[in-house]
Amino acid sequence: MKEERYFYVPDARNNTELPKEEAQHAIKVLRMHEGDNIYLMDGDGTFYLAEVTMVTGKKCSYQILEELPQQRSWKGRIHIAMAPTKMMDRVEWMAEKATEIGVDEFSFLECKFSERRQMRADRVEKIVVSATKQSRKAWKPVVNELTAFKKFIEEPREGGKYICHCYEEVERTDLFELLKADNTMPHDVTILIGPEGDFSIDEVRMAMEHGYKSVSLGTERLRTETAALSAAMQAHLLLR
């Protein structure tokens, strides 16, 4: 029995060719031929069973045979907004694993103590696409460009908003316990994770003034990327 092959094709219903990178993988790596069956994922909740209709040197055409709408395994939207670490491989690791768990959106924050003030979101996008295919998620997380902290928190957002930090002088509630105890928990959550040096105390207070709840991720001190993954897992477990 042949292994099922999945390809990421935005707006797959209205296209007839695999995107360039997906086509190259299908042709040169997987050696797909006319008549082979493949699965397409549009990243917006639908899989498609398709048949390869033509293979050339650089193009791979398909015809959709069946549309397969998927059911979400969690409620609402999970949005993780973190300050990128100095080492980009840690950011990419977090994005890969959080995508496999189940997240809807990634944002990246430029904060007072940020060690990285520039980044290429397209690199993270490629990691997220690969993880979406590998884990066979019907929804691909949105990947946003680096944004100034102040601008981000001033933007209106639906649902619960939380800022994770380590300042003992600011009252905090354990994120998992807060979500679990809240019987009216909103199904959209936005969780902020600071840089290696944490948010500044002023940033924490500014976020709280804009409706973000002050939370902790437990008693351990976690690396930025570990904290982001932990927050994603906690939200995912409680929104299933």
Side-chain angles (χ1 to χ4, degrees):
M1 181 177 177
K2 276 191 173 183
E3 181 182 355
E4 296 173 344
R5 303 294 187 179
Y6 283 74
F7 298 89
Y8 174 56
V9 186
D11 198 23
R13 185 190 294 110
N14 298 316
N15 285 304
T16 58
E17 289 184 4
L18 296 182
K20 182 179 178 180
E21 288 190 8
E22 297 287 80
Q24 290 300 298
H25 184 67
I27 297 167
K28 297 186 178 298
V29 178
L30 301 178
R31 307 289 183 183
M32 305 298 294
H33 297 93
E34 293 178 17
D36 287 343
N37 283 350
I38 57 176
Y39 285 88
L40 314 177
M41 47 177 58
D42 63 6
D44 197 30
T46 304
F47 292 161
Y48 302 86
L49 174 61
E51 179 182 321
V52 176
T53 57
M54 184 179 70
V55 175
T56 64
K58 295 182 179 181
K59 294 184 178 182
C60 182
S61 300
Y62 64 83
Q63 174 184 333
I64 291 176
L65 303 177
E66 185 178 1
E67 189 170 320
L68 305 166
Q70 302 297 297
Q71 294 294 320
R72 294 176 67 88
S73 62
W74 67 94
K75 304 168 187 175
R77 289 180 57 81
I78 301 172
H79 185 174
I80 301 296
M82 66 170 275
T85 58
K86 185 175 182 180
M87 303 296 290
M88 271 303 296
D89 60 342
R90 292 182 180 177
V91 178
E92 293 167 1
W93 175 85
M94 182 283 300
E96 177 183 65
K97 301 311 175 188
T99 298
E100 292 174 8
I101 291 168
V103 167
D104 296 281
E105 188 169 359
F106 295 108
S107 291
F108 300 97
L109 308 175
E110 183 181 2
C111 304
K112 181 176 180 178
F113 298 143
S114 290
E115 290 194 287
R116 174 176 287 276
R117 299 187 180 278
Q118 292 183 338
M119 63 166 284
R120 289 179 53 188
D122 60 321
R123 285 182 53 178
V124 179
E125 175 75 15
K126 289 182 179 180
I127 296 293
V128 165
V129 168
S130 178
T132 299
K133 292 191 295 181
Q134 188 279 329
S135 58
R136 296 185 181 177
K137 291 284 190 297
W139 283 265
K140 183 193 75 66
V142 174
V143 178
N144 297 315
E145 297 286 346
L146 186 68
T147 305
F149 177 83
K150 184 175 185 294
K151 178 182 177 182
F152 184 89
I153 64 168
E154 288 177 345
E155 294 173 349
R157 301 185 189 282
E158 297 295 326
K161 302 186 295 184
Y162 309 90
I163 181 166
C164 304
H165 64 89
C166 298
Y167 290 101
E168 294 183 359
E169 60 265 43
V170 179
E171 185 176 352
R172 296 173 297 160
T173 304
D174 182 86
L175 175 64
F176 191 79
E177 293 302 320
L178 178 62
L179 294 178
K180 186 170 62 173
D182 189 354
N183 292 327
T184 61
M185 182 182 69
H187 290 159
D188 291 353
V189 296
T190 300
I191 305 173
L192 310 186
I193 307 293
E196 284 93 331
D198 206 343
F199 294 110
S200 72
I201 190 71
D202 290 338
E203 286 172 331
V204 172
R205 288 170 174 154
M206 188 189 306
M208 293 173 67
E209 289 172 359
H210 285 82
Y212 284 81
K213 294 182 180 180
S214 170
V215 298
S216 73
L217 293 172
T219 57
E220 296 82 7
R221 289 185 71 90
L222 305 175
R223 288 181 179 272
T224 295
E225 70 277 8
T226 310
L229 187 61
S230 175
M233 173 63 83
Q234 292 181 39
H236 187 83
L237 286 173
L238 290 167
L239 290 175
R240 291 184 69 85

